[in-house]
Amino acid sequence: MSAKFKIPFEYSNKYEFHEKLIEWIGDVLYDILPEQGYEVRDEQIFTAFQIADAFRDQKVHLAEAGLGTGKTFAYLLSAIPYARYTGKPVIISCASPALQEQLAAESGDVNKLSKLLRLEVDARMAKDSRQYVCDVRASASIEEFGEVSEEVQQWMGQTSRGERSEIPTVTDRIWKKISWNETMSCEVCQNRGYCSLVRARAHYRATQDLIIVDHETFFHDLWTREEKIASGHMPILPNYSAVIFDEGHKIMLPAAMQAGQQFIKEEMDTLIASLEDIQGARNALHTTTEVLEGAVNYFFEVAQRSVATGEDKGRLTIQMNEPLLRAAESLRAGLDQLLMEIQIEQELYLESIPTSLIQGYEGQIEKVMKGLSQLCKDKGQDVIAWINQNDDSFCVVPRDLTKRLNQALYSKNLPVIFSSATLSNGGNFDYFIRMMGLESPSKSTIGSPFNMEEQVRIAFVPTLEKSSTTHDKMTKRIEQLITLLRSNGGRALILTRSLSEVRKIRQYLKREALPFEILYEDKGDRGYLLRKFKKEETSVLVSSDFWEGIDVPGDALTLVVIWQLPFPKLDPLIEAQRKAVEEQGLDPAVTVDYPEMGLQLKQGCGRLIRTKNDKGKIIFLDEVLGTP
C-alpha cells in the first residue's frame, strides 16, 4: 500500500494487524497527505483511530464527526486494509444513489484516496435494483415515450449494465416504466442470466475491497440472506467482513421497508385487468377476478377511512380496526382463490400463456398475501401500516426491528460502524442507541475543525402576520426567496421537507426570468443533478432529499435556504416512536420531535461549509420560535 505498510495477509492475528494499521494511519494523516497539500486535522486523526479500534474489537461503533472532519477518509483507511486482511470486501452503505456516486465515481473520495496513496483500490457500486433497466419492460413500453423513445432505444443498444445514471435526463415517470420491478419473476424470465441486472450483480460480486451500496439494497440483502442461501440461491451481496453505514442515522426507514411489504393499487388493478382480458378462460377465473376487484376497492376504501395521521402527499398512518382487518382477510381469501384458479387454468386450458407471465402474476399475488398476513396477525399489534399517497400504495412493516437487527447483524461479530455528523444531540447518544436497539456500543464524537463564526452568517426573515392567508404567505416567501437568489447570484441550495414543496416552488419560480439555471430534484437522476449543480457554478438546486451527505465546496454553493424547518412529518414510523416513549412517561416532543429536527437541521446547515476557505449564508425562510 505504501513503503511503510504491507498488505496485511502476513500478520498472525488481529492485534498485530491493528498495531501496524494504527502506525500506517498515522503515517498517512500526519505525513503522506500533508505532503500533498492536505492539512493535518486532529479531529480526523482521532476519528480514524477510534474506527480502527472498532475494527480490531469487531464492535458496533458510533463515529460522530462534525462537518469538514474528513470522516470518509477516516473510515476508508481502516476499511481497505481490513478487506485485504480478511479476504472479504467491506460494505459501505449509503443513504442515496447520489452519495454512492460521490464515493465511487471517478472524481469520488475512494478514487481520490487511491491516487494519493498510489493504491489500486477495487471499489464497485451495488445499486438498488430499481436503478437498473429491465430489458423486457423497456422493450415492451418503449414506443410510449414519444420523442424520448429514440434516446432510450439507442441507449439500450449501448449500455452494459443498464444503470439509470447513464441516461440521467430521463424523468422519474418514464424510468418507473422501464426499470426493474419486483413483481416480475426473474427466475423464469426469457432473458434470465443475460439481462442488465444480472451483469451488474456479477460485476460487483467480484469486488475485492469495497462494495458501495444504498441502504435499501443492504437491508434487502440482510433480511433475505438466510432464506436465499437455504433455498440454494445466491444472496444479493457476497460474503463481507464489515459494514460501514455512511449517514448512519438514515437507516430505519429503508430497514423497515425491506422487512415489510408494499402493494400498489394500480399494480393490483393492472393484474386484474390482464386476467380479465384472457380470451377463452373458464367462467370460474372471470368470476374470481370480478369478486377480487371488489375486494381490492373495498380494502383501499376502508384503509383510507382508517387514516389516523399524516400529511398531504406523504405517508398516512393507519389506525388498526375491525373493519380494516375484515377487509384484509376478505382480500387475502380472494387472492388465495385467484391463485388456485390461475394454476388450474394454466394446467388445463391455457398452455399458450407464457410461464413467465403466470409466475409473475403468482409472485405479485403471494407478495400481497404475505403483507396481508402480517397485517392480520395478532390484530396488527406488531406492525405499523400506512398509505403512501405518492403512489397510492399500502405498506405494512414490523413495529420493532431491534431484535431482527441484533440477530441478523449485531450478533455476527462483524465491525459495524455508524458514521455521521449527527448521531447525538450535544454528545448524548441515547436517542440513537434506543432507536437502533444497540447495547453498549463504543462511541466517539468530535466537532468541526472550521471557524464557523467567521465563515458563516445566519439570518432569519421577519415573521409574517398570522392573519395572512396561505396564498399571501407563499407569495411573500417566494418574493423573499427571489430577492435572496438574485442578490447572491444563484449559487444556492434550497431545502424543503417534501417533493410537494419542491413542486410548489417550481410553479412560482417558472414565472420569473432568473439569470441562472434552477434544478429541481424530481426532474432527473439525483447524481446527475448534483454533478450539474457543482459544474454550473451559478445554478440553484431545490430539493427535499439533499439535507445530508452532498459535498459542494467552493463558489458553487454560498447560500443555503432553509425553506422549512425539518421537523419530522406526521409519519407512521415517527408516530410509533412517539407512542413508545409516551408509554414510558416521556414527552414525545422533547424525546423524538426536537432530536429528529435537530439532527436533520445540523445536516442541512452542514452543506454550506466544506473547506476552511468556504464562506456563505444560511437563511431561514420558515418561522423560528424565539426570533423577532
Side-chain angles (χ1 to χ4, degrees):
M1 298 177 75
S2 79
K4 299 181 181 180
F5 187 72
K6 297 180 181 179
I7 303 293
F9 288 122
E10 302 172 9
Y11 303 126
S12 59
N13 58 62
K14 65 181 180 180
Y15 298 102
E16 185 179 356
F17 165 73
H18 176 261
E19 180 181 342
K20 296 296 184 181
L21 175 62
I22 289 292
E23 179 183 346
W24 180 71
I25 290 174
D27 289 342
V28 169
L29 296 180
Y30 279 117
D31 298 325
I32 298 174
L33 294 187
E35 287 173 3
Q36 300 183 62
Y38 283 75
E39 59 192 73
V40 175
R41 296 179 183 174
D42 292 336
E43 297 85 357
Q44 183 183 48
I45 295 166
F46 170 79
T47 301
F49 285 165
Q50 294 292 312
I51 292 173
D53 289 349
F55 270 86
R56 175 198 61 199
D57 299 334
Q58 296 175 304
K59 293 190 63 173
V60 176
H61 181 74
L62 311 181
E64 182 178 60
L67 64 94
T69 303
K71 67 181 188 303
T72 304
F73 276 16
Y75 66 63
L76 287 176
L77 290 176
S78 284
I80 298 166
Y82 195 76
R84 299 188 181 188
Y85 171 64
T86 60
K88 300 176 184 177
V90 170
I91 298 292
I92 301 177
S93 182
C94 302
S96 69
L99 292 178
Q100 287 179 272
E101 292 276 355
Q102 192 162 289
L103 267 173
E106 182 66 25
S107 59
D109 290 336
V110 173
N111 197 44
K112 190 183 300 181
L113 183 64
S114 175
K115 290 179 179 179
L116 289 168
L117 301 182
R118 298 177 183 175
L119 290 174
E120 291 295 330
V121 179
D122 186 8
R124 308 184 194 185
M125 279 190 284
K127 295 184 178 180
D128 184 332
S129 298
R130 291 167 295 185
Q131 291 293 315
Y132 298 98
V133 73
C134 171
D135 299 342
V136 173
R137 295 185 77 211
S139 298
S141 59
I142 199 166
E143 299 301 327
E144 302 175 14
F145 306 146
E147 297 178 357
V148 184
S149 296
E150 185 176 348
E151 179 187 1
V152 174
Q153 196 160 26
Q154 184 177 7
W155 170 71
M156 287 285 297
Q158 298 172 343
T159 182
S160 171
R161 294 192 290 273
E163 296 183 25
R164 183 181 182 179
S165 59
E166 298 172 358
I167 188 166
T169 55
V170 165
T171 64
D172 289 356
R173 181 186 63 82
I174 291 178
W175 183 257
K176 187 177 180 180
K177 292 184 177 182
I178 66 174
S179 61
W180 178 85
N181 187 309
E182 64 181 335
T183 63
M184 295 187 68
S185 175
C186 294
E187 295 301 317
V188 293
C189 177
Q190 64 193 34
N191 284 4
R192 184 185 178 193
Y194 299 97
C195 71
S196 299
L197 181 58
V198 168
R199 290 194 295 270
R201 287 182 174 174
H203 172 71
Y204 69 68
R205 281 179 179 281
T207 308
Q208 294 181 349
D209 294 326
L210 307 173
I211 300 180
I212 300 170
V213 306
D214 55 277
H215 292 339
E216 286 82 1
T217 299
F218 176 80
F219 284 106
H220 188 189
D221 172 78
L222 189 69
W223 302 142
T224 62
R225 193 173 187 83
E226 291 187 2
E227 180 183 346
K228 284 182 177 292
I229 292 173
S231 62
H233 294 105
M234 286 194 300
I236 296 169
L237 300 174
N239 291 334
Y240 47 83
S241 58
V243 180
I244 298 170
F245 291 113
D246 197 326
E247 305 299 348
H249 62 290
K250 297 285 288 185
I251 74 167
M252 285 310 292
L253 178 59
M257 289 297 294
Q258 296 304 320
Q261 299 294 329
Q262 177 185 35
F263 32 101
I264 302 173
K265 186 176 185 301
E266 181 182 357
E267 292 179 352
M268 297 180 71
D269 291 341
T270 300
L271 167 65
I272 292 170
S274 298
L275 292 171
E276 289 176 339
D277 287 342
I278 294 176
Q279 298 297 316
R282 295 172 303 127
N283 288 335
L285 179 62
H286 287 308
T287 300
T288 301
T289 55
E290 289 175 8
V291 172
L292 182 63
E293 185 175 11
V296 169
N297 291 333
Y298 181 66
F299 174 78
F300 277 91
E301 287 173 10
V302 175
Q304 288 285 356
R305 293 200 298 268
S306 303
V307 167
T309 59
E311 295 187 354
D312 290 342
K313 302 301 180 183
R315 293 188 289 272
L316 310 182
T317 304
I318 296 295
Q319 182 69 47
M320 295 298 169
N321 56 62
E322 286 299 327
L324 178 66
L325 295 174
R326 287 197 299 269
E329 286 287 6
S330 177
L331 179 55
R332 184 171 64 169
L335 289 166
D336 192 35
Q337 180 67 30
L338 178 62
L339 201 57
M340 184 180 70
E341 294 295 342
I342 288 175
Q343 291 166 350
I344 294 172
E345 199 74 32
Q346 182 188 23
E347 291 174 5
L348 299 181
Y349 299 96
L350 294 178
E351 295 180 359
S352 60
I353 296 179
T355 302
S356 60
L357 184 61
I358 293 295
Q359 293 206 359
Y361 292 156
E362 291 173 344
Q364 185 176 350
I365 292 168
E366 288 168 357
K367 175 176 177 287
V368 177
M369 290 178 65
K370 184 176 180 181
L372 293 170
S373 296
Q374 288 178 315
L375 180 69
C376 295
K377 183 179 179 182
D378 296 329
K379 295 187 176 181
Q381 295 304 302
D382 296 327
V383 297
I384 305 168
W386 66 82
I387 285 182
N388 191 331
Q389 287 194 318
N390 291 320
D391 56 10
D392 201 16
S393 64
F394 186 93
C395 301
V396 55
V397 303
R399 182 172 293 277
D400 184 4
L401 287 176
T402 56
K403 291 181 180 178
R404 290 190 67 173
L405 283 168
N406 183 64
Q407 181 180 2
L409 184 60
Y410 304 152
S411 65
K412 299 298 184 182
N413 294 321
L414 298 176
V416 178
I417 312 297
F418 290 88
S419 173
S420 173
T422 51
L423 297 176
S424 78
N425 284 283
N428 185 331
F429 290 86
D430 289 351
Y431 174 71
F432 187 79
I433 289 172
R434 182 178 66 250
M435 185 171 61
M436 294 293 112
L438 298 170
E439 294 183 8
S440 304
S442 58
K443 306 181 289 290
S444 61
T445 182
I446 198 75
S448 171
F450 300 141
N451 188 335
M452 293 301 174
E453 291 185 2
E454 290 188 2
Q455 293 180 253
V456 181
R457 288 175 49 209
I458 298 176
F460 303 88
V461 298
T463 302
L464 298 174
E465 294 291 336
K466 291 185 178 181
S467 59
S468 300
T469 66
T470 301
H471 174 74
D472 289 342
K473 287 181 178 180
M474 184 68 178
T475 301
K476 181 64 174 176
R477 289 176 70 194
I478 289 291
E479 290 173 356
Q480 293 168 331
L481 177 61
I482 291 171
T483 299
L484 288 170
L485 295 179
R486 287 187 182 278
S487 64
N488 200 66
R491 310 171 192 273
L493 174 65
I494 303 168
L495 294 172
T496 75
R497 292 174 67 227
S498 67
L499 278 176
S500 62
E501 285 298 312
V502 172
R503 296 180 186 117
K504 285 180 185 177
I505 293 171
R506 179 166 66 243
Q507 288 301 313
Y508 281 85
L509 290 187
K510 70 180 183 180
R511 308 167 190 169
E512 300 291 326
L514 296 171
F516 33 75
E517 185 172 7
I518 309 289
L519 306 172
Y520 298 96
E521 181 188 335
D522 61 335
K523 287 298 184 179
D525 174 68
R526 275 56 171 173
Y528 164 76
L529 289 173
L530 183 57
R531 290 192 298 273
K532 190 169 184 180
F533 181 50
K534 291 180 179 180
K535 183 178 180 181
E536 302 294 333
E537 198 169 273
T538 63
S539 63
V540 173
L541 177 58
V542 186
S543 169
S544 64
D545 196 38
F546 287 154
W547 285 84
E548 62 241 338
I550 67 169
D551 190 3
V552 187
D555 292 338
L557 177 56
T558 58
L559 172 65
V560 170
V561 177
I562 307 297
W563 181 257
Q564 296 164 302
L565 287 175
F567 278 104
K569 301 174 184 177
L570 294 176
D571 183 273
L573 297 177
I574 294 295
E575 287 300 308
Q577 290 184 48
R578 290 190 182 107
K579 183 178 180 180
V581 300
E582 198 167 18
E583 290 172 352
Q584 300 171 31
L586 302 173
D587 183 345
V590 174
T591 312
V592 177
D593 293 357
Y594 280 94
E596 278 283 337
M597 189 277 287
L599 294 178
Q600 187 84 325
L601 185 59
K602 282 170 65 178
Q603 285 283 349
C605 293
R607 299 313 97 212
L608 182 62
I609 304 299
R610 310 307 298 174
T611 74
K612 66 178 182 180
N613 296 319
D614 288 345
K615 292 186 178 182
K617 299 184 288 289
I618 299 172
I619 307 295
F620 289 79
L621 286 183
D622 201 1
E623 183 175 351
V624 179
L625 294 178
T627 60

